[in-house]
Amino acid sequence: MMKSIIKSKRYSTWAIGKISVLLYMIPILSTAVYGQDKRDLYTLQSDFVDLRFGVMMHFNMGTFTDEEWASPDHDPQKFNPTQLDCNQWADACLAAGMKYAILTTKHHDGFCLWDSKYTDYDVASSPYKKDIVREYVDAFRSRGIKPCLYFSIWDRHNGVENGGQEEEEFVMNQLTELLTNYGEIPQIIFDGWNWKMGHSRISYQRIYDHIKKLQPNCLVSEHNGNSNFQTDLIYYEGPKGVFPPGNNIFASQMALTMTNGWFWHTDSPKNVKSLDYTLDKLQRLEPLYCNFMLNVAPNRNGLFDKEVVDRLAEIGKRWKPNMSRLPLPTKPKTINNYILPAGIIASAGKAVTQPAPPANEGSPIAALLTQTNAEVMIDGCSDEIPDNGGFSAFQTYWKFEPNPSRYLILDLGISKDISKLYYLPARWLGYNGVVTKYRILTSIDGKNYKKINEGKWGKNTNLKILDFLSVKARYVKFEILESIDEAIISEIGVGN
């Protein structure tokens, strides 16, 4: 069960709270906040990669408990930054030449740096009391640095663990707070979602649409397996060995830590990385349309250590953006509206987890490791490339048996308009299993099918997105006509 969903001082029961939340959200969802004129995605992405250099700041309960992932039930009294000064943070980042910032508004333990209506586990229950998100956005915005937000969907204190309607509503409500109370937010980075519970257990499409209704120009990024699938910006988590490919053309960003962890530790001041460390990353990433985020962790007083401030000043004196870089290439086809199938039927084959499932007890995606049916192709979890150190160091896929008739049927539950299909090969396996010739048919009743497309794909492991004239269908049949060895599908779906 979820805990601390609504503060007792506001509502007496969860049932009353749900009604109140719905009433509270109705006027908010009618129009976007701040009268933003919606800009096209390519323009937003292009403007973003021109920022080049940003800061990520892990500052939360873990700062005070010496944990990278803080336990979810610490006493809020532990959180007590007696000298917190977001202006000091902003001045140091400005001196470094940073153009945008990310703050951990909530990490996996669930402690919120703002006074949330939906939990008591927040800064209002701490000795500090004041809204740190407000102090942060005001300080950075006043210096011309774009304030962005980090938000962990996975919330171990408030019971957001496995997905479901109540958990999804809780996430929606907290996002409404963050995206209506602090002015324009250019980007939000999610964590603990795709790799923890998957985009189907807490709906990617619903969360994405909610953000775009509130702030149409807010870019969505996520720890999602380092792909351009279900995200506006690819995020590469550097400490896990994940870097952009040398031919990257997608708007992206990569983060590395300035010291010995995401959060501050007592020996952090002695472990500040060299000037050349940062300059090297900026030089390598800039030609790849990949912004570099240097993670800087404020200390328990709520300040950047002197060693950090000095290093940031050195960076600013030595680094300047390369203004001769060509514009961001036009983004390939994408899907704006993903339709989650109700079920999937496939011709003979087997579900595979590759490599073998992690043995760690309590792995956050352990439930997926026992799947044996074709739904592994729509599990909503990251299957893009390996994450060399996280829980998602595997992928699931369906391997078809040799047969003249190889197919799968997506059941959308009810008839819907569709105009795109996406297919992701099992990229860990190279070309093995890649579908190179296909046929797509649709049906309303599951009996009478009409061909809508047939064609070929190149011998590569890229995410493949196919456009066709919009058609109303409940069932979508994907026939595999040719493949390299036995056909393998990691992810597949439809949308618009």
Side-chain angles (χ1 to χ4, degrees):
M1 292 294 294
M2 299 182 65
K3 299 185 298 181
S4 305
I5 292 182
I6 299 179
K7 290 190 173 180
S8 57
K9 66 184 180 183
R10 307 286 180 100
Y11 305 104
S12 59
T13 67
W14 168 229
I16 294 174
K18 286 200 289 187
I19 295 171
S20 302
V21 167
L22 290 172
L23 292 174
Y24 168 75
M25 289 174 63
I26 288 171
I28 294 174
L29 297 179
S30 59
T31 57
V33 297
Y34 318 118
Q36 292 180 13
D37 292 326
K38 183 178 180 180
R39 290 183 287 155
D40 67 273
L41 182 57
Y42 172 79
T43 299
L44 292 170
Q45 292 169 326
S46 182
D47 289 347
F48 173 79
V49 296
D50 282 343
L51 298 176
R52 316 291 174 114
F53 190 22
V55 62
M56 176 177 273
M57 293 173 293
H58 275 66
F59 181 67
N60 209 285
M61 184 61 74
T63 307
F64 297 87
T65 62
D66 201 27
E67 297 170 288
E68 288 290 276
W69 285 9
S71 299
D73 294 309
H74 284 297
D75 185 346
Q77 294 298 306
K78 290 180 180 289
F79 187 89
N80 189 20
T82 55
Q83 301 175 47
L84 189 143
D85 186 356
C86 293
N87 291 299
Q88 187 238 18
W89 304 355
D91 285 336
C93 294
L94 183 66
M98 293 164 164
K99 300 298 185 182
Y100 71 104
I102 306 285
L103 176 67
T104 52
T105 63
K106 185 179 73 168
H107 205 247
H108 308 321
D109 57 290
F111 186 82
C112 302
L113 295 188
W114 77 100
D115 181 6
S116 175
K117 295 178 181 178
Y118 306 101
T119 180
D120 285 316
Y121 200 57
D122 62 19
V123 70
S125 300
S126 77
Y128 189 72
K129 302 295 183 188
K130 292 180 284 186
D131 185 338
I132 293 176
V133 177
R134 166 59 61 196
E135 295 187 29
Y136 153 71
V137 297
D138 287 350
F140 280 75
R141 191 176 284 133
S142 69
R143 288 156 176 82
I145 302 174
K146 296 182 181 296
C148 307
L149 307 176
Y150 164 109
F151 180 91
S152 175
I153 298 275
W154 185 26
D155 182 334
R156 293 175 294 150
H157 181 87
N158 293 297
V160 184
E161 295 270 0
N162 299 304
Q165 184 176 356
E166 287 189 5
E167 295 183 23
E168 192 172 288
E169 290 300 326
F170 178 76
V171 170
M172 295 270 286
N173 291 331
Q174 287 203 322
L175 289 175
T176 297
E177 292 180 320
L178 289 172
L179 296 175
T180 57
N181 291 330
Y182 300 103
E184 188 167 357
I185 302 298
Q187 179 197 181
I188 186 164
I189 293 183
F190 290 111
D191 199 356
W193 187 5
N194 182 276
W195 59 266
K196 167 60 177 77
M197 62 195 75
H199 281 171
S200 58
R201 298 182 185 186
I202 286 186
S203 169
Y204 169 81
Q205 195 62 53
R206 188 170 183 230
I207 297 296
Y208 186 86
D209 290 346
H210 183 57
I211 292 167
K212 297 298 182 176
K213 285 178 182 177
L214 297 176
Q215 298 220 22
N217 297 326
C218 181
L219 292 165
V220 176
S221 186
E222 198 209 347
H223 297 232
N224 75 331
N226 325 305
S227 78
N228 59 311
F229 178 61
Q230 295 191 334
T231 189
D232 292 335
L233 301 168
I234 302 175
Y235 170 71
Y236 298 103
E237 192 167 355
K240 293 184 176 178
V242 184
F243 289 75
N247 60 349
N248 180 63
I249 60 170
F250 295 99
S252 55
Q253 57 194 340
M254 189 186 82
L256 285 165
T257 63
M258 192 176 195
T259 56
N260 56 336
W262 291 109
F263 284 96
W264 186 88
H265 303 283
T266 54
D267 57 347
S268 291
K270 299 178 182 179
N271 288 282
V272 177
K273 294 187 171 92
S274 69
L275 171 64
D276 287 342
Y277 175 86
T278 299
L279 296 178
D280 173 71
K281 303 306 179 293
L282 285 164
Q283 182 180 27
R284 289 171 181 265
L285 295 174
E286 193 174 17
L288 304 179
Y289 306 99
C290 182
N291 291 357
F292 180 48
M293 290 191 298
L294 186 61
N295 183 79
V296 180
N299 61 31
R300 291 175 185 168
N301 290 324
L303 299 169
F304 284 179
D305 291 318
K306 182 181 183 303
E307 295 84 352
V308 166
V309 173
D310 291 345
R311 181 71 76 242
L312 291 174
E314 289 180 313
I315 293 169
K317 291 176 182 177
R318 289 282 302 276
W319 179 78
K320 295 293 183 290
N322 177 11
M323 303 310 295
S324 65
R325 186 183 72 181
L326 295 175
L328 177 72
T330 303
K331 189 175 179 180
K333 300 173 188 174
T334 189
I335 294 179
N336 297 318
N337 179 34
Y338 293 86
I339 299 172
L340 180 64
I344 186 168
I345 300 170
S347 59
K350 64 178 180 178
V352 180
T353 300
Q354 176 72 28
N360 305 43
E361 184 179 353
S363 171
I365 39 183
L368 294 174
L369 306 182
T370 58
Q371 272 190 234
T372 59
N373 53 29
E375 271 76 10
V376 297
M377 289 182 278
I378 54 169
D379 59 19
C381 281
S382 172
D383 283 346
E384 187 61 35
I385 62 173
D387 179 348
N388 299 326
F391 289 107
S392 56
F394 67 90
Q395 64 178 348
T396 54
Y397 58 81
W398 185 260
K399 183 173 183 178
F400 291 81
E401 291 182 1
N403 195 304
S405 177
R406 296 172 295 172
Y407 65 89
L408 60 85
I409 298 174
L410 297 170
D411 178 0
L412 306 184
I414 60 173
S415 293
K416 297 181 180 181
D417 292 323
I418 60 171
S419 59
K420 288 183 171 68
L421 178 141
Y422 65 86
Y423 152 58
L424 181 69
R427 302 186 72 178
W428 282 16
L429 305 181
Y431 298 149
N432 183 27
V434 172
V435 176
T436 54
K437 188 175 181 180
Y438 62 85
R439 181 184 297 127
I440 301 172
L441 307 96
T442 62
S443 172
I444 296 293
D445 59 10
K447 297 177 181 178
N448 301 295
Y449 280 88
K450 179 181 178 181
K451 187 179 83 170
I452 61 169
N453 200 285
E454 183 174 326
K456 293 184 177 181
W457 280 313
K459 182 182 175 182
N460 59 64
T461 61
N462 297 339
L463 172 69
K464 304 176 193 309
I465 298 178
L466 179 68
D467 287 302
F468 46 84
L469 292 176
S470 182
V471 60
K472 184 176 288 291
R474 171 174 173 175
Y475 300 94
V476 181
K477 188 174 185 180
F478 180 78
E479 293 183 343
I480 299 166
L481 305 181
E482 293 178 9
S483 63
I484 300 172
D485 299 321
E486 298 312 323
I488 292 172
I489 294 180
S490 177
E491 296 278 351
I492 194 164
V494 293
N496 293 292

